[in-house]
Amino acid sequence: MYRYDEFDAALVTQRVAQFRDQVDRRMKGTLSEDEFRPLRLMNGLYLQLHAYMLRVAIPYGTLSSVQMRMLAHIARRYDHGYGHFTTRQNIQYNWPKLVEVPDLLDELATVEMHAIQTSGNCIRNVTSDPYAGAVADEVEDPRIWGEIIRQWSTFHPEFSFLPRKFKIAVTGSAEDRAAIRVHDIGLRIHRNEAGEVGFEVMVGGGQGRTPMIAKTIRAFLPKAHLLSYLEAILRVYNLMGRRDNKYKARIKILVHEMGAEAFADQVEAEWAEIKDGPVDLPASEVARIENYFAPPALDTASNGSADYALKLKSDAAFAAWVGSNVLGHVQPGYAIANISLKPVGGVPGDATAEQMDVVADLAARYSHDEIRVTYEQNLVLPHVRREDLYAVWQALGEAKLDTANIGLLGDMIVCPGLDYCSLANARSIPVSQQISERFSDPERQRKIGKLDIKISGCINACGHHHVGHIGILGVDKRGKEHYQITLGGKANQDAAVGAIVGPAFAETDIADAVETVVDTYLDLRADGEEFIETLGRVGIAPFKETLYATH
Amino acid sequence: MPLIKDGSFVTDPWIRLADEDALPEIGPIIVSLTRWVAARDALLARGWPLGICLASGESVEAITGDLDRFEVVALEFPTFMDGRSYSAARLLRERHGFSGELRAVGNVLRDQFLFLHRCGFDAFEVREGETVSGWLQAVAALTVWYQPTGDARVTVPQLRQLAPIAAE
Ligand code: SF4
């Protein structure tokens, strides 16, 4: 993992002092709320329906156990004993008091964490593959470049007042586990025909009210030029992006209106001016950062034990958990263990302070001190010896963290919705709870197989409904909460936006509607087909029929 | 509007001329791009120092051929959220070598002085009530920078090259 040096540490400390001064000025009244608003928004502090909400950055979703313990401490000391992991691999606290936020940030700084650029029209916290450094299909660890982008984008003086927020995601594998094609910039590390490693650069993806899949504007960018190329993209966007309408201000609209080719031409022309300038890092600095992400010292002799094989046979619940939550690791004998934050009837993405402590302890003991946060709002222990999995699973079970549903129906992405969010049309959490209770039988979920349900409380699409296999969008129908269903969205390397299936459903009917969709699929599926494959084969018409015939 | 330049209040010798104002006989003036394009010869013939003000969104390319004629380039911020002039400033300084006064005019917040300064602005029209100490505090709030701009600040990657051991 990356560790701060004196410079990184000094910057975070200075930032807290600067913010403390801003809060002081607000408390004394020398700053009005109108003047304070943009300042707090530059530091992840939102005013929500009931209270302030603070968003803490977890760069590229990687945490150490010490950092996780601090997040637990903050949940206890400054919040109501829990935190909410988000689709941007961050954590949000829903109840901090304004006067206490500077102290909270001081505490975070002691473990190399902050809330810098977690809101505002700037380059947001960079996201990445939660399995980085642990999967076999990886060309290079994307977090190296995640960290390089983090540093370059931090307080970038030119790009802190962009037309709109700006999100960058990086992955190092062919399989996309970071939804890079629905980001403002998606970067995929790959090898070209000559065997050199570089980036495919995709621009203009996004969700919200105008969902778009990113376009590739450069198939291969040599690694060493990444920062100058990003600077060129951002400069073109900063100068040309629309500022007349908030809903047309994201880069996806600029790329769409100009056309991807014309946009790429602008970027290339700008890049030609700066590519050999000072913004790209010297090789020694890249190597310095790369060193921090060297693979952990894994036990190469470990190849699972007889005991592990026995447990798999004798303990069905354990086997079920391994079946859905555990994945292969690049090192034989090791595994990637996913921790679901989606228990039946729970709030997706929420974890209590006690649960965070348990995960921290397990990471320290069994996972080389590493934890990942996924954009699906779950946690990951990326480097667990197979023979330790049983002990890990038992400890997770005691903390109610052993839900065996990763990738299954219960593993829903859900935005905070009307329970917290001032922009919401409808509640999302209670809808997800209804659905998870309806499908609470784990055996039934396993039979249904892989299925992504994603729920947003309004068209801003924080719950990624456009790219859910089943997307659910809260809408307001004459003052009543209603829910529109989309089918066929995908967030992976074959990213696609789902199609609206028909009129919205009332809150009391939405769980039935989801069940109808699932039953229709079960009726139609060929052997071994996943939901999304059946849908691809038969199209949306049969689902329309069953959905609206029964209503 | 009070003007802070290079860290202290200065009396502003420049007159900002609205497009409908008549050309004064004497004195340095700042004109809009529209006026410059329309009355270039008359403006040059006056023989007094000349400045130009670009509205946010007006391309710096429109004046790069004439940069040596201007002692001041003022860049406008219609609202503090409009960040186009940060890019314009860097282009003027770093690409086109403008070395005259680069002035931020319009709606900017104290907490933005630092970013403006990094992008090459050296003069700031500030609100009534702003203080030099407030300005100085704002531009010194952060001293650690990862990315190079045209200003004199040393960046973290440069410091790391100087002291590779400190980074361990
Ligand atoms: S999708 Fe809408 S309701 Fe949900 S968190 Fe985003 S803005 Fe709020």
Side-chain angles (χ1 to χ4, degrees):
Chain A
M1 275 185 65
Y2 187 71
R3 295 302 313 263
Y4 279 11
D5 68 5
E6 62 197 282
F7 306 113
D8 303 305
L11 180 55
V12 171
T13 309
Q14 290 178 359
R15 175 57 178 144
V16 180
Q18 186 189 37
F19 190 67
R20 187 180 290 280
D21 169 63
Q22 292 166 348
V23 172
D24 271 357
R25 283 189 274 153
R26 174 73 193 110
M27 301 311 282
K28 288 198 193 101
T30 49
L31 278 179
S32 67
E33 174 55 25
D34 273 358
E35 292 168 317
F36 180 58
R37 189 174 167 276
L39 301 179
R40 64 170 165 73
L41 279 181
M42 277 180 250
N43 212 17
L45 192 61
Y46 290 78
L47 194 53
Q48 292 289 65
L49 275 181
H50 315 290
Y52 282 105
M53 180 273 276
L54 180 73
R55 186 180 292 149
V56 174
I58 302 175
Y60 36 88
T62 294
L63 284 171
S64 69
S65 53
V66 169
Q67 291 175 322
M68 186 61 112
R69 279 194 200 103
M70 176 57 79
L71 295 181
H73 163 73
I74 284 172
R76 264 190 288 263
R77 163 77 184 73
Y78 299 94
D79 201 289
H80 293 175
Y82 64 95
H84 177 73
F85 290 96
T86 77
T87 56
R88 303 220 62 257
Q89 301 179 310
N90 291 323
I91 186 169
Q92 292 177 179
Y93 294 104
N94 283 307
W95 307 98
K97 294 193 194 67
L98 177 58
V99 273
E100 293 183 349
V101 171
D103 291 341
L104 187 168
L105 293 172
D106 262 336
E107 295 213 50
L108 273 182
T110 64
V111 296
E112 309 181 356
M113 295 186 79
H114 57 74
I116 294 168
Q117 289 172 209
T118 55
S119 54
N121 291 345
C122 53
I123 303 170
R124 301 288 186 88
N125 186 36
V126 56
T127 54
S128 188
D129 186 343
Y131 303 155
V135 274
D137 72 335
E138 186 168 279
V139 178
E140 249 178 44
D141 192 327
R143 293 172 305 162
I144 299 161
W145 293 95
E147 177 58 27
I148 288 171
I149 295 168
R150 181 192 77 82
Q151 296 191 18
W152 161 79
S153 62
T154 297
F155 297 124
H156 198 301
E158 185 181 348
F159 304 134
S160 291
F161 296 89
L162 297 166
R164 204 70 178 86
K165 58 189 168 184
F166 203 92
K167 301 174 182 177
I168 304 177
V170 199
T171 172
S173 297
E175 190 178 335
D176 180 2
R177 288 171 290 258
I180 63 171
R181 286 161 184 82
V182 286
H183 281 75
D184 295 287
I185 295 181
L187 298 168
R188 181 177 73 90
I189 302 174
H190 69 118
R191 223 177 269 284
N192 67 5
E193 279 160 16
E196 299 148 342
V197 175
F199 296 95
E200 178 185 352
V201 182
M202 295 162 240
V203 178
Q207 305 196 51
R209 65 184 63 206
T210 329
M212 296 215 187
I213 306 300
K215 313 272 186 316
T216 298
I217 62 162
R218 195 171 233 277
F220 187 83
L221 176 73
K223 276 196 299 186
H225 285 301
L226 181 68
L227 294 185
S228 56
Y229 202 80
L230 292 180
E231 194 136 316
I233 296 173
L234 266 297
R235 183 168 290 159
V236 170
Y237 170 56
N238 191 40
L239 285 170
M240 300 182 67
R242 288 181 61 172
R243 291 174 186 266
D244 58 328
N245 178 342
K246 168 173 175 195
Y247 299 110
K248 301 205 154 132
R250 295 289 288 267
I251 197 173
K252 62 188 174 188
I253 303 292
L254 179 66
V255 173
H256 180 73
E257 287 181 352
M258 283 179 78
E261 254 175 61
F263 180 81
D265 289 346
Q266 287 278 343
V267 170
E268 292 284 328
E270 178 58 36
W271 185 50
E273 298 272 358
I274 58 174
K275 66 187 276 201
D276 299 313
V279 59
D280 286 313
L281 295 179
S284 58
E285 173 62 2
V286 175
R288 185 190 76 89
I289 291 175
E290 207 173 297
N291 275 336
Y292 287 107
F293 295 96
L298 300 177
D299 170 7
T300 49
S302 169
N303 53 1
S305 62
D307 189 46
Y308 167 68
L310 210 71
K311 284 284 188 327
L312 272 183
K313 281 212 183 87
S314 61
D315 192 328
F318 175 59
W321 180 76
V322 170
S324 56
N325 291 33
V326 173
L327 292 171
H329 194 279
V330 60
Q331 176 66 44
Y334 277 76
I336 299 170
N338 287 277
I339 301 170
S340 170
L341 297 181
K342 320 284 177 66
V344 173
V347 177
D350 271 14
T352 64
E354 293 67 37
Q355 289 176 321
M356 292 185 220
D357 278 336
V358 167
V359 174
D361 290 346
L362 289 174
R365 181 142 180 224
Y366 297 112
S367 182
H368 291 264
D369 212 38
E370 273 197 50
I371 303 150
R372 307 291 171 75
V373 182
T374 76
Y375 86 86
E376 283 110 340
Q377 306 180 280
N378 294 310
L379 301 176
V380 178
L381 298 173
H383 310 294
V384 183
R385 291 195 311 177
R386 285 195 179 265
E387 58 203 75
D388 293 331
L389 282 171
Y390 195 75
V392 167
W393 173 71
Q394 283 185 310
L396 289 173
E398 278 164 35
K400 297 199 167 51
L401 285 169
D402 61 341
T403 311
N405 65 356
I406 294 292
L408 302 181
L409 187 148
D411 185 9
M412 288 173 262
I413 293 183
V414 182
C415 84
L418 198 52
D419 292 296
Y420 295 97
C421 176
S422 50
L423 304 171
N425 283 326
R427 289 166 299 156
S428 347
I429 294 167
V431 167
S432 74
Q433 288 167 330
Q434 272 187 51
I435 297 171
S436 78
E437 271 153 20
R438 177 71 62 95
F439 291 90
S440 61
D441 174 8
E443 196 43 45
R444 185 176 175 202
Q445 284 196 38
R446 278 194 287 281
K447 285 202 178 114
I448 295 165
K450 286 217 176 305
L451 177 56
D452 293 346
I453 298 184
K454 303 186 177 179
I455 309 176
S456 305
C458 80
I459 193 62
N460 287 328
C462 305
H464 294 199
H465 68 276
H466 292 302
V467 291
H469 297 162
I470 300 178
I472 299 176
L473 165 65
V475 293
D476 178 281
K477 237 184 175 177
R478 281 170 252 105
K480 285 237 161 57
E481 294 163 73
H482 274 66
Y483 297 88
Q484 194 175 67
I485 290 187
T486 53
L487 293 179
K490 286 181 265 188
N492 64 358
Q493 59 278 8
D494 308 313
V497 172
I500 297 170
V501 70
F505 296 88
E507 194 204 341
T508 43
D509 298 331
I510 186 71
D512 289 339
V514 169
E515 195 161 27
T516 304
V517 171
V518 169
D519 289 343
T520 308
Y521 148 66
L522 291 176
D523 281 350
L524 294 171
R525 84 165 155 194
D527 257 2
E529 239 176 15
E530 292 180 6
F531 174 84
I532 197 71
E533 295 165 343
T534 304
L535 178 65
R537 180 170 54 80
V538 304
I540 159 171
F543 294 91
K544 255 189 182 152
E545 240 165 69
T546 49
L547 269 175
Y548 295 100
T550 56
H551 283 84
Chain B
M1 280 266 225
L3 183 70
I4 293 182
K5 188 168 179 193
D6 296 327
S8 47
F9 279 114
V10 294
T11 7
D12 188 358
W14 295 84
I15 301 164
R16 277 274 289 288
L17 212 58
D19 283 350
E20 61 281 4
D21 292 350
L23 267 188
E25 276 301 303
I26 56 164
I29 53 172
I30 297 176
V31 298
S32 72
L33 177 62
T34 316
R35 183 116 183 205
W36 166 247
V37 171
R40 176 193 170 96
D41 292 343
L43 290 168
L44 290 175
R46 283 179 81 238
W48 284 88
L50 193 59
I52 191 160
C53 181
L54 297 185
S56 180
E58 282 178 342
S59 164
V60 299
E61 318 300 328
I63 58 165
T64 45
D66 294 311
L67 268 188
D68 51 358
R69 307 198 185 266
F70 304 118
E71 287 184 26
V72 171
V73 176
L75 298 175
E76 224 166 7
F77 292 84
T79 85
F80 68 85
M81 293 296 286
D82 186 336
R84 284 176 283 190
S85 293
Y86 292 89
S87 288
R90 287 196 66 192
L91 289 173
L92 285 170
R93 285 278 193 240
E94 295 167 50
R95 185 160 308 163
H96 304 295
F98 179 67
S99 58
E101 175 181 317
L102 195 52
R103 184 185 289 201
V105 302
N107 182 358
V108 294
L109 306 177
R110 172 193 287 195
D111 299 85
Q112 294 177 308
F113 292 156
L114 181 50
F115 289 157
L116 294 166
H117 198 240
R118 283 226 67 203
C119 287
F121 287 96
D122 56 355
F124 303 79
E125 279 187 12
V126 297
R127 300 172 193 198
E128 285 309 330
E130 189 53 84
T131 60
V132 164
S133 66
W135 188 88
L136 289 172
Q137 200 192 335
V139 295
L142 307 175
T143 63
V144 179
W145 299 99
Y146 291 110
Q147 55 298 98
T149 61
D151 68 1
R153 290 173 173 89
V154 182
T155 65
V156 171
Q158 287 170 329
L159 292 167
R160 283 176 180 151
Q161 296 301 300
L162 296 173
I165 295 149
E168 284 304 302

